[in-house]
């Protein structure tokens, strides 16, 4: 039995963009090491571990640390350590294949299967991201919510300040909730990628990053760069017709 390890660090959106590539790399036994938050989304794997629990950060820093666990695999595909010379030197004797952090330009569309749910008559809005410079102003989202002609349910992470927002820490469960929305609206964020991956129509707003690289992918995704309020409202009206 071929034992393969996939090591994929990075934020939520990075990992979701990589899902087609990760799934295509499955072997007889597949283990994935990734950030703790994304583990519930890696449902194709035989085993999942948080990178923080593996000792990987000590490889190449503390002599011999963390290497024994890596030696149990027949092949290792890694998006971790590509730019760390001391790491690469410490694992030179192991069956590593390294990949760049940026997602391939011709990668497939990520798909996360969730149980079928009735489509609700509401828009889900997540007005945050991992960087303030990516965020369309909150007052714009509030103005949008008043004009799109359907109820709005706001969602936010545990550290994001937004009164009356839906907060679901488990990303798979959050994906199940997003799948019921008629449309999702948000910034360049991991939640936007999650909404697209579960099949919800998405309007994604990009302000400072390159959507050719980082945009959610799929037939029901509309990406807007530096849009006006009317641009977003029109996109929502068109894509929400399902």
């Amino acid at each position: 039995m071929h034992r393969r390890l996939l090591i994929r660090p990075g934020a939520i959106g990075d990992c979701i963009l990589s899902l087609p590539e990760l799934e295509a790399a499955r072997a007889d036994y597949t283990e994935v090491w990734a950030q703790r938050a994304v583990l519930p989304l890696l449902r194709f794997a035989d085993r999942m571990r948080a990178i923080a629990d593996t000792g990987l950060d000590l490889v190449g820093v503390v002599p011999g640390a963390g290497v024994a666990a890596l030696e149990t695999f027949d092949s290792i595909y890694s998006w971790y350590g590509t730019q760390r010379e001391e790491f690469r030197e410490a694992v030179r004797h192991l069956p590593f294949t390294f990949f760049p952090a940026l997602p391939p330009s011709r990668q497939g569309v990520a798909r996360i299967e969730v149980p079928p749910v009735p489509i609700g008559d509401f828009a889900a809005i997540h007005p945050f991201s991992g960087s303030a410079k990516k965020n369309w102003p909150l007052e714009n989202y509030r103005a949008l919510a008043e004009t799109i002609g359907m109820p709005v349910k706001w969602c936010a992470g545990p550290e994001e300040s937004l009164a009356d927002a839906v907060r679901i820490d488990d990303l798979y469960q959050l994906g199940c909730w997003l799948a019921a929305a008629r449309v999702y609206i948000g910034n360049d964020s991991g939640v936007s990628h999650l909404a697209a991956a579960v099949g919800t129509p998405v309007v994604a707003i990009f302000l400072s990053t390159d959507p050719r690289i980082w945009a959610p992918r799929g037939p029901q995704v509309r990406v807007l760069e530096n849009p006006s309020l009317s641009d977003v409202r029109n996109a929502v009206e068109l894509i929400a017709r399902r």
Side-chain angles (χ1 to χ4, degrees), residues 60-238:
V61 177
V62 177
V67 174
L70 297 170
E71 291 174 339
T72 65
F73 295 96
D74 301 302
S75 60
I76 302 171
Y77 291 179
S78 182
W79 289 257
Y80 177 98
T82 303
Q83 304 299 323
R84 284 184 55 199
E85 287 299 324
E86 72 280 5
F87 180 90
R88 293 172 66 94
E89 181 60 33
V91 301
R92 191 174 299 279
H93 65 293
L94 297 174
F96 265 79
T97 302
F98 288 96
F99 296 91
L102 291 177
S105 59
R106 296 186 179 181
Q107 197 172 27
V109 175
R111 182 66 181 163
I112 297 172
E113 297 296 333
V114 296
V117 293
I119 304 304
D121 187 25
F122 71 94
I125 299 181
H126 177 242
F128 302 106
S129 72
S131 171
K133 66 183 180 180
K134 296 181 180 181
N135 294 349
W136 204 46
L138 182 57
E139 59 266 25
N140 287 4
Y141 281 109
R142 294 195 186 281
L144 178 70
E146 297 294 327
T147 64
I148 58 176
M150 72 181 81
V152 166
K153 294 184 180 181
W154 302 85
C155 64
E159 306 301 323
E160 295 167 342
S161 178
L162 186 64
D164 301 320
V166 172
R167 301 177 189 274
I168 303 173
D169 292 343
D170 183 288
L171 288 180
Y172 182 76
Q173 295 303 319
L174 177 58
C176 292
W177 179 80
L178 290 170
R182 185 163 299 280
V183 63
Y184 166 92
I185 309 142
N187 303 304
D188 172 16
S189 72
V191 179
S192 297
H193 285 274
L194 178 60
V198 299
T200 303
V202 167
V203 176
I205 299 171
F206 275 65
L207 301 182
S208 61
T209 46
D210 187 348
R212 293 171 297 180
I213 299 174
W214 299 113
R217 295 169 182 173
Q220 298 192 93
V221 175
R222 177 73 183 274
V223 177
L224 303 177
E225 293 188 76
N226 298 291
S228 67
L229 180 60
S230 61
D231 291 334
V232 180
R233 183 174 60 247
N234 292 339
V236 170
E237 290 175 353
L238 286 173

